[in-house]
Amino acid sequence: MRWIELKPFIEQVSREQDFSWRINFYQGHCESFDWHYHLEYELVLLRNAQGQMFAGSYSEAYQHNSLALFGPYLPHTTYVESLDEGQQPESLVLWFSHQWVSQLITVLPQLQPLKQCLSDSRFGLMFSNELAETVCSRLEGFEQLSDMRQNLVIIEILVLLAEATQRTKLNSLPARAMAD
């Protein structure tokens, strides 16, 4: 048996100089294995499917309502293996820049606890199914909200991540150490 090393590609999330955040909602699933990384943080919520999640050297099964945060440079992907009966698989992906979240913490020093969560995201983080459900409920009707209200929802989600008592590191080494 021959070992094949997969090299992750860099995903260009935005070409904007002052990129803050972007959120995409996806229905259905992709058949490809897109092993990638990017310069932004990525929060992923997976619903109505089971499969495999890969992040750095981590590889484990995921279930409905899996919520993970990947830090910059951490290679990651997910692969759908089965669907919940009668359900359409859904995923939500929120990208946000280090510059934006750092400025946010500077302007709102009460958000300082978020720094530890962001630092830990270099290892990849998995959150509880309960938190995943809470995040999902906060995003209901998101696209119909004004820009100001959308920003409030994103900040609230970041606060929920920072306050989460159940979060698990997915790797023993941070993203940059894996690349070296």
Side-chain angles (χ1 to χ4, degrees), residues 35-69:
W35 184 236
H36 69 282
Y37 68 96
H38 30 74
L39 305 179
E40 297 79 12
Y41 297 91
E42 179 176 306
L43 181 67
V44 178
L45 173 60
L46 303 164
R47 296 174 56 83
N48 304 328
Q50 295 84 42
Q52 289 290 313
M53 179 178 292
F54 303 88
S57 61
Y58 172 86
S59 171
E60 290 288 332
Y62 74 84
Q63 309 294 327
H64 168 70
N65 260 356
S66 289
L67 181 66
L69 179 63

Side-chain angles (χ1 to χ4, degrees), residues 10-11 13 37-41 71-73 96-98 176:
I10 185 163
E11 180 180 35
V13 173
Y37 68 96
H38 30 74
L39 305 179
E40 297 79 12
Y41 297 91
Y73 300 100
F96 56 96
S97 73
H98 182 74
R176 285 290 181 128

Side-chain angles (χ1 to χ4, degrees), residues 2-41:
R2 199 174 96 166
W3 175 257
I4 299 172
E5 182 178 343
L6 294 175
K7 296 246 186 230
F9 68 91
I10 185 163
E11 180 180 35
Q12 185 78 40
V13 173
S14 175
R15 296 195 188 315
E16 299 171 33
Q17 281 297 104
D18 60 346
F19 174 72
S20 53
W21 58 267
R22 187 174 90 212
I23 192 165
N24 282 353
F25 298 90
Y26 301 99
Q27 290 211 316
H29 69 282
C30 179
E31 294 290 330
S32 64
F33 186 88
D34 292 329
W35 184 236
H36 69 282
Y37 68 96
H38 30 74
L39 305 179
E40 297 79 12
Y41 297 91

Side-chain angles (χ1 to χ4, degrees), residues 40-163:
E40 297 79 12
Y41 297 91
E42 179 176 306
L43 181 67
V44 178
L45 173 60
L46 303 164
R47 296 174 56 83
N48 304 328
Q50 295 84 42
Q52 289 290 313
M53 179 178 292
F54 303 88
S57 61
Y58 172 86
S59 171
E60 290 288 332
Y62 74 84
Q63 309 294 327
H64 168 70
N65 260 356
S66 289
L67 181 66
L69 179 63
F70 307 118
Y73 300 100
L74 180 63
H76 58 276
T77 195
T78 58
Y79 188 78
V80 174
E81 293 177 342
S82 65
L83 308 176
D84 289 358
E85 190 172 323
Q87 298 289 321
Q88 177 80 326
E90 299 174 349
S91 57
L92 164 136
V93 181
L94 166 65
W95 297 274
F96 56 96
S97 73
H98 182 74
Q99 177 183 349
W100 174 76
V101 75
S102 294
Q103 289 173 347
L104 191 61
I105 292 168
T106 299
V107 172
L108 297 170
Q110 299 83 352
L111 295 177
Q112 287 292 321
L114 184 54
K115 282 185 171 182
Q116 186 60 54
C117 181
L118 296 175
S119 179
D120 288 348
S121 74
R122 299 174 306 138
F123 298 88
L125 293 174
M126 183 68 74
F127 297 90
S128 71
N129 290 28
E130 294 78 21
L131 182 57
E133 192 61 41
T134 301
V135 167
C136 185
S137 70
R138 296 300 192 278
L139 290 168
E140 286 180 21
F142 184 83
E143 294 156 322
Q144 285 74 47
L145 297 174
S146 69
D147 289 347
M148 286 190 302
R149 293 205 180 271
Q150 285 182 350
N151 275 288
L152 289 175
V153 170
I154 298 300
I155 293 168
E156 181 183 10
I157 289 170
L158 293 176
V159 169
L160 289 168
L161 297 177
E163 292 178 339

